[in-house]
Amino acid sequence: RLNYIGYYKQWYQRRVRGNDEFWKTPVEHTPEARKAIHRKLEEEKAAVEEQRKGVRTNKVPKRQTVLEREGKLLNLNQGKWPFLLDDTTDANSVKLEVTLPKYLSTHNIDVDVQPTSVKIVAEGRTFQLVLREEICPDKSSCQRSQMTGVLVVTMPTIKQTIVPEKVKQKTSFKEENSRLVKKQPEKSTAYLEVDPSKRSAVDFSNIVNDSVKYKPISAKRTVKEKVVSDDFVDDPDVPPLL
């Protein structure tokens, strides 16, 4: 903001004080005069821009990324991404998990695996980690989760240790025999049998007697006609009742 204020201040001083004769001289309102004024303004702006280039600015230079010092690699995490290094679960490999931004494209991620270090570059930020054991870069693999964006780098070590397999101990004859003896028989479902002589006196199956025939109920309803009295006079002007 201070640089812009100084720029306009210098431009105003050059316009008013340095070129008083040009700006105070009256001219006619013609196209030639307007073109001369426009050229003068362009010259003054160009002169101020040249002077401004030599002015010292307050910009802080960017800090250079230091990946190595005195021949030794350094650990670096510019993006401040959470990571987890697992070198104890598997004795023959080292596993590195780095939580990158979920919506970052995989094409913008560069992974460089070296025998003693791992470097990941994404979004112009560098992540470098020095390993304690030497690994095989050719046999290393890299995978990324589509749901969480976590990058997993699996690196097998050069020094492979043979882990003996656990052998199952054979059980003795006595132990096997004791298991068979202690084994309980399978449970079988038993159903109760009902004695027909011990039934109750009420037989619900014979509640309705099918032998008796009932007359069906007629759906039609009979309506009795009303008897007309002798004094009834039929008036033709009266509409019939529905």
Side-chain angles (χ1 to χ4, degrees), residues 95-160:
K95 189 176 181 181
L96 175 64
E97 296 182 5
V98 183
T99 305
L100 297 176
K102 181 179 179 179
Y103 298 103
L104 176 64
S105 177
T106 309
H107 299 284
N108 298 332
I109 302 174
D110 185 15
V111 181
D112 183 14
V113 180
Q114 298 295 330
T116 57
S117 64
V118 183
K119 184 171 70 173
I120 301 172
V121 180
E123 293 184 334
R125 302 174 183 178
T126 306
F127 173 87
Q128 181 171 282
L129 185 65
V130 181
L131 304 175
R132 289 181 286 185
E133 296 184 8
E134 193 171 356
I135 62 169
C136 298
D138 299 337
K139 297 180 181 180
S140 301
S141 61
C142 183
Q143 295 178 348
R144 189 175 183 222
S145 174
Q146 296 181 355
M147 299 296 293
T148 60
V150 177
L151 184 69
V152 180
V153 184
T154 305
M155 301 163 285
T157 58
I158 291 179
K159 296 180 181 180
Q160 296 289 325

Side-chain angles (χ1 to χ4, degrees), residues 67-99:
L67 300 177
E68 188 176 355
R69 183 178 295 171
E70 296 180 359
K72 294 182 180 180
L73 297 175
L74 302 177
N75 294 329
L76 182 67
N77 189 1
Q78 288 183 333
K80 296 182 180 180
W81 301 316
F83 68 95
L84 175 64
L85 182 64
D86 185 10
D87 55 356
T88 58
T89 304
D90 190 357
N92 296 326
S93 64
V94 179
K95 189 176 181 181
L96 175 64
E97 296 182 5
V98 183
T99 305

Side-chain angles (χ1 to χ4, degrees), residues 164-181:
E165 296 182 358
K166 295 182 179 180
V167 181
K168 295 182 179 179
Q169 297 180 357
K170 294 183 179 181
T171 57
S172 61
F173 177 76
K174 291 183 178 180
E175 292 179 357
E176 189 173 356
N177 192 15
S178 61
R179 289 179 183 177
L180 295 175
V181 171

Side-chain angles (χ1 to χ4, degrees), residues 144-230:
R144 189 175 183 222
S145 174
Q146 296 181 355
M147 299 296 293
T148 60
V150 177
L151 184 69
V152 180
V153 184
T154 305
M155 301 163 285
T157 58
I158 291 179
K159 296 180 181 180
Q160 296 289 325
T161 58
I162 301 173
V163 180
E165 296 182 358
K166 295 182 179 180
V167 181
K168 295 182 179 179
Q169 297 180 357
K170 294 183 179 181
T171 57
S172 61
F173 177 76
K174 291 183 178 180
E175 292 179 357
E176 189 173 356
N177 192 15
S178 61
R179 289 179 183 177
L180 295 175
V181 171
K182 292 180 181 179
K183 190 175 181 181
Q184 297 180 358
E186 296 181 357
K187 295 181 180 179
S188 59
T189 55
Y191 299 96
L192 295 176
E193 295 182 1
V194 180
D195 189 2
S197 61
K198 295 182 180 180
R199 290 182 180 178
S200 60
V202 181
D203 189 2
F204 295 98
S205 61
N206 297 325
I207 293 177
V208 180
N209 190 3
D210 297 335
S211 61
V212 181
K213 295 183 179 180
Y214 298 94
K215 294 181 180 180
I217 300 173
S218 60
K220 295 183 179 179
R221 189 176 180 183
T222 58
V223 180
K224 294 181 180 180
E225 296 182 0
K226 190 175 182 181
V227 180
V228 182
S229 62
D230 299 334

